[in-house]
Amino acid sequence: QVQLVESGGGLVQAGGSLSLSCAASGSFVSVNVMGWYRQAPGKKREMVATITQDGRTNYADSVKGRFTISRDNAKNTVYLRMNSLKPEDTAEYYCNGQIKFRIGGGLYDQWGQGTQVTVSS
């Protein structure tokens, strides 16, 4: 069993910053791609940023230049630094990890429980 536990959400004024973190724990071999997704009320869940094990990153156009994703492979942890936050960044943020449970096995998507980010204008 694997758990992804997020932390760091909260309320911030527009223009402010927040940092999120997500740690994977449990019984597994490795975590492949890790990422952050978000879902605002009435909207579909969307990708915010992803990062591979070797550090290649991908960002949604809406957050490029403002958000930075990073990871610590030794700790199976992914981070999201969010600067210059806008009210439209308000959403529930979810951590995702592609988990390899055994050597030679496939990859399975695991999700965290979500953490709320609210940006006031």
Side-chain angles (χ1 to χ4, degrees):
Q1 188 176 0
V2 173
Q3 278 192 314
L4 273 66
V5 179
E6 301 115 334
S7 62
L11 173 65
V12 66
Q13 287 189 330
S17 298
L18 277 176
S19 291
L20 306 180
S21 65
C22 170
S25 63
S27 179
F28 55 90
V29 173
S30 63
V31 187
N32 195 0
V33 178
M34 300 188 80
W36 290 95
Y37 294 71
R38 67 187 181 187
Q39 187 167 17
K43 294 189 176 182
K44 292 182 179 179
R45 188 174 296 189
E46 63 176 359
M47 186 275 291
V48 175
T50 62
I51 184 168
T52 63
Q53 280 187 313
D54 59 359
R56 286 174 288 134
T57 58
N58 184 40
Y59 294 93
D61 287 343
S62 59
V63 307
K64 281 180 182 177
R66 301 188 297 121
F67 291 11
T68 302
I69 190 170
S70 60
R71 66 186 286 173
D72 184 333
N73 290 331
K75 296 181 179 179
N76 294 308
T77 299
V78 63
Y79 307 93
L80 186 68
R81 177 65 177 176
M82 304 181 290
N83 296 326
S84 303
L85 281 160
K86 304 175 181 180
E88 50 263 44
D89 294 317
T90 295
E92 189 82 4
Y93 283 69
Y94 296 90
C95 171
N96 173 270
Q98 295 180 346
I99 308 297
K100 177 170 284 192
F101 288 99
R102 59 182 180 86
I103 296 173
L107 297 172
Y108 295 87
D109 268 341
Q110 297 289 316
W111 293 89
Q113 80 284 359
T115 185
Q116 178 67 35
V117 171
T118 302
V119 184
S120 63
S121 57

